[in-house]
Amino acid sequence: MASLGHQVIAVDIDSRKIAHFNEGTLPFYEPGLAELLSKINKSDLTFSTNFSDISECEIHFLCIGTPQSEDGLQADLSALESAFHSVVEMARPGSIIVGKSTVPVGTAERFAAALEESNPKVLLNWNPEFLREGHAIADTLQPNRIVIGARTEKEAERLTSFYEEISPETPVYITNFPTAELVKVAANAFLATKISFINAMSEVADATGADVSLLADAIGADDRIGRKFLGAGIGFGGGCLPKDIRAFLARADELGLSESLHFLQEFDLINQRARVRAVALALKELGVPQGKKIAVLGAAFKPDSDDVRDSPALEIAETLHTLGAHVVVHDPRALESAAKKIPDLTYSNSIEETLTGADLTMHLTEWVNYRELDPAIIRKLVNVPTIFDGRNVLDTGNWQSAGWKLLALGRPL
Ligand code: UGA
């Protein structure tokens, strides 16, 4: 927003994050963001821990995380509720509050009713966020759709014209609150469904000798199906897809609709099984894990991110470590966040050191760096040239002709 010429104040109660931004450093990795921030005029973008700084603002975006609750499947809205109440207290008449967080359907109407009671001259819109980590800037500046939920069409007008300036080509959908909230969770549920569907096919492929990657290519060639998000492997992780399908299940249960969404529970289980299948394959290959070195390539839940929340790569590494193997984890960006989450594992920022003497190499996050490795050169580093391609993106022929044995889920290699 600041790069487009708006005056922006970013507020967070996490003083460590705010201190980072004030010093001009980022507390997380997102490609291109540091460069973009360095180009922005300091007076156009300020950072604060104090909600009183927002009293003159015209639009208040709520960009608060809604993680899974510690005691169940439902989303924990406590941080969002607290930020919302702080903003309501400060918002001046005529301003609008825009919810971007992913929330259980029904939340926006509840917030709008609270706002009507305590600050009636302020409007609420619900405007779900669809950005992907690793593509945050492009997804923000050129979004593929904008959804604005409001009580009436008129109440959506100001936000609509605000977005028209940013991205005039982007289709805008003006909806009621429940539709806006549901578009977001339905989109993530559909993406999770695609991934788990192909991983279910991978289980069938394992039992029958079929090749799930070729199967995905062939069904994906039908543009009604599409090849995107049919990448079989160790499954989805991160701070969104897993917790969003669980929160959706919890909400459906409250609405008396558990049967309608029951399939999501199956897809969650297929996703978790992919991690178990990867560990089983490693153990089958290694025999006794004690005394064996496993080189793990990747800790982040996906490439171009340092996020390790619910990362399949890190969970597989941790399980193999717990079973007694000597696991060394490499990642181009996520080592710090991984070490904070699982301090017991061994981490290395050198691919060479990670691979040296390995009895098994596991490729678990599809960073482009790993695809660019020369299998002939790194073959000389390892003890046993066997690699598990947990993301099905390595050039099989290239690795095999350099003398590697390839392992994968759902592919007879
Ligand atoms: C996801 C959605 O894609 C965004 O549209 C949404 O805005 C965001 O959640 C959110 O709710 O905030 P993100 O969590 O950044 O974005 O990650 P994705 O790109 O969706 O990938 C999720 C996981 O699925 C990753 O672990 C990835 O490795 C895995 N994946 C993806 C597969 O296993 N196979 C595939 O074919 C594609």
Side-chain angles (χ1 to χ4, degrees):
M1 296 300 169
S3 76
L4 297 169
H6 295 285
Q7 291 271 313
V8 180
I9 303 172
V11 179
D12 199 305
I13 56 166
D14 184 340
S15 53
R16 189 192 65 92
K17 276 189 192 157
I18 294 300
H20 259 289
F21 284 117
N22 277 328
E23 284 157 16
T25 55
L26 286 177
F28 55 84
Y29 174 67
E30 177 62 36
L33 191 56
E35 292 77 5
L36 185 66
L37 280 180
S38 70
K39 285 188 212 139
I40 290 169
N41 209 326
K42 281 210 158 37
S43 59
D44 287 342
L45 177 59
T46 51
F47 298 92
S48 166
T49 51
N50 198 342
F51 279 94
S52 60
D53 289 346
I54 66 166
S55 57
E56 290 309 309
C57 293
E58 291 168 63
I59 307 185
H60 308 276
F61 288 102
L62 298 173
C63 312
I64 315 288
T66 50
Q68 186 175 341
S69 294
E70 276 171 17
D71 58 355
L73 297 184
Q74 72 279 11
D76 175 359
L77 299 189
S78 55
L80 176 63
E81 305 251 3
S82 148
F84 173 68
H85 289 297
S86 303
V87 171
V88 171
E89 250 173 57
M90 288 297 155
R92 69 169 171 77
S95 63
I96 44 178
I97 297 177
V98 181
K100 295 210 69 79
S101 309
T102 305
V103 289
V105 57
T107 306
E109 187 47 50
R110 188 160 57 80
F111 278 22
L115 190 59
E116 214 168 36
E117 286 274 297
S118 49
N119 200 342
K121 293 205 166 127
V122 175
L123 275 186
L124 181 77
N125 282 181
W126 213 264
N127 168 221
E129 178 54 60
F130 301 107
L131 76 78
R132 299 157 298 166
E133 291 185 31
H135 303 268
I137 296 174
D139 287 352
T140 304
L141 298 180
Q142 296 100 34
N144 52 19
R145 80 283 212 192
I146 290 164
V147 175
I148 301 175
R151 273 185 168 169
T152 63
E153 243 177 72
K154 190 156 180 45
E155 291 194 358
E157 272 172 8
R158 274 182 57 211
L159 196 59
T160 310
S161 49
F162 173 79
Y163 277 122
E164 233 160 50
E165 277 175 41
I166 296 177
S167 188
E169 306 296 313
T170 304
V172 178
Y173 300 92
I174 297 172
T175 71
N176 61 13
F177 283 143
T179 309
E181 294 165 316
L182 278 174
V183 170
K184 174 59 194 270
V185 282
N188 275 4
F190 194 78
L191 294 172
T193 296
K194 273 193 102 172
I195 301 169
S196 278
F197 177 84
I198 203 65
N199 281 331
M201 293 306 109
S202 161
E203 294 181 9
V204 177
D206 264 344
T208 56
D211 183 317
V212 73
S213 283
L214 288 172
L215 178 125
D217 290 343
I219 63 170
D222 178 341
D223 63 11
R224 293 172 304 171
I225 296 174
R227 179 64 171 87
K228 287 182 185 161
F229 272 67
L230 287 183
I234 57 172
F236 57 82
C240 303
L241 264 46
K243 67 98 180 164
D244 283 352
I245 59 171
R246 291 172 198 153
F248 203 8
L249 274 165
R251 185 68 185 125
D253 205 21
E254 287 170 4
L255 294 167
L257 295 171
S258 347
E259 279 183 17
S260 310
L261 293 191
H262 184 74
F263 67 95
L264 286 179
Q265 197 176 321
E266 284 307 319
F267 285 158
D268 192 9
L269 291 174
I270 292 165
N271 192 53
Q272 290 172 43
R273 264 201 315 271
R275 303 175 190 195
V276 176
R277 290 164 65 214
V279 169
L281 193 61
L283 293 180
K284 189 168 163 220
E285 192 60 23
L286 284 176
V288 181
Q290 280 79 9
K292 304 280 171 57
K293 174 173 175 180
I294 303 179
V296 168
L297 301 180
F301 85 101
K302 67 186 265 191
D304 299 316
S305 169
D306 62 354
D307 193 343
V308 296
R309 285 177 294 170
D310 205 348
S311 165
L314 203 56
E315 188 182 324
I316 291 167
E318 187 191 18
T319 308
L320 289 165
H321 161 80
T322 312
L323 291 170
H326 172 46
V327 178
V328 181
V329 181
H330 176 272
D331 191 284
R333 295 280 176 180
L335 289 186
E336 209 181 305
S337 39
K340 219 178 266 171
K341 191 162 183 208
I342 310 199
D344 285 354
L345 281 172
T346 306
Y347 297 97
S348 171
N349 54 21
S350 149
I351 295 191
E352 201 169 81
E353 184 181 74
T354 306
L355 291 170
T356 299
D359 297 292
L360 174 66
T361 301
M362 300 188 76
H363 171 241
L364 301 183
T365 311
E366 67 271 43
W367 286 94
V368 71
N369 316 34
Y370 301 142
R371 253 167 289 163
E372 288 170 350
L373 288 171
D374 183 333
I377 293 178
I378 61 168
R379 188 189 187 291
K380 297 184 190 118
L381 297 172
V382 296
N383 186 32
V384 181
T386 301
I387 184 163
F388 165 67
D389 183 6
R391 294 295 182 180
N392 289 320
V393 292
L394 297 179
D395 180 337
T396 318
N398 203 13
W399 284 76
Q400 282 171 337
S401 58
W404 285 78
K405 174 177 175 186
L406 256 96
L407 304 173
L409 299 174
R411 294 169 76 195
L413 294 171

